[in-house]
Amino acid sequence: ATDVEFDIWRCLENDACPSGPAGTCGENRDPSEIACGKCLADFHFDSESKCVACSSGQAALILIAVCILACIVLVGLAFFANRHLAAQTNSVRLFTTCLG
């Protein structure tokens, strides 16, 4: 017989720690985490707290959103950095228009 030390943790959800041998977790849950509280690599919690596989579509949407946000920030920074030049250009146009 081997002496093995186990800690006992209460599972927050029945699906996380089904009955069975020590170290057994629910489907796609990480047995190395306390109370099977995290999903395995390449899985995430869905709205029902079940571990489901990550899809490549989610990563693509996040990447597209980050790119769009970066473009908006860059345009805003360019406008902010050059706002004095734009005001000067309008003043010169007004002056030359008044001179005829």
Side-chain angles (χ1 to χ4, degrees), residues 17-74:
C17 306
S19 59
T24 303
C25 288
E27 187 177 3
N28 302 321
R29 294 202 178 234
D30 189 348
S32 66
E33 294 294 329
I34 293 176
C36 303
K38 291 186 179 178
C39 296
L40 293 170
D42 298 326
F43 289 86
H44 71 280
F45 287 112
D46 68 0
S47 60
E48 297 173 2
S49 296
K50 295 185 186 283
C51 292
V52 294
C54 297
S55 68
S56 60
Q58 291 172 334
L61 286 177
I62 291 171
L63 181 62
I64 290 170
V66 168
C67 288
I68 290 171
L69 183 61
C71 289
I72 291 170
V73 168
L74 288 174

Side-chain angles (χ1 to χ4, degrees), residues 76-93:
L77 286 174
F79 178 78
F80 182 76
N82 295 315
R83 71 184 185 283
H84 297 295
L85 294 174
Q88 290 172 359
T89 303
N90 288 337
S91 299
V92 170
R93 272 195 209 134

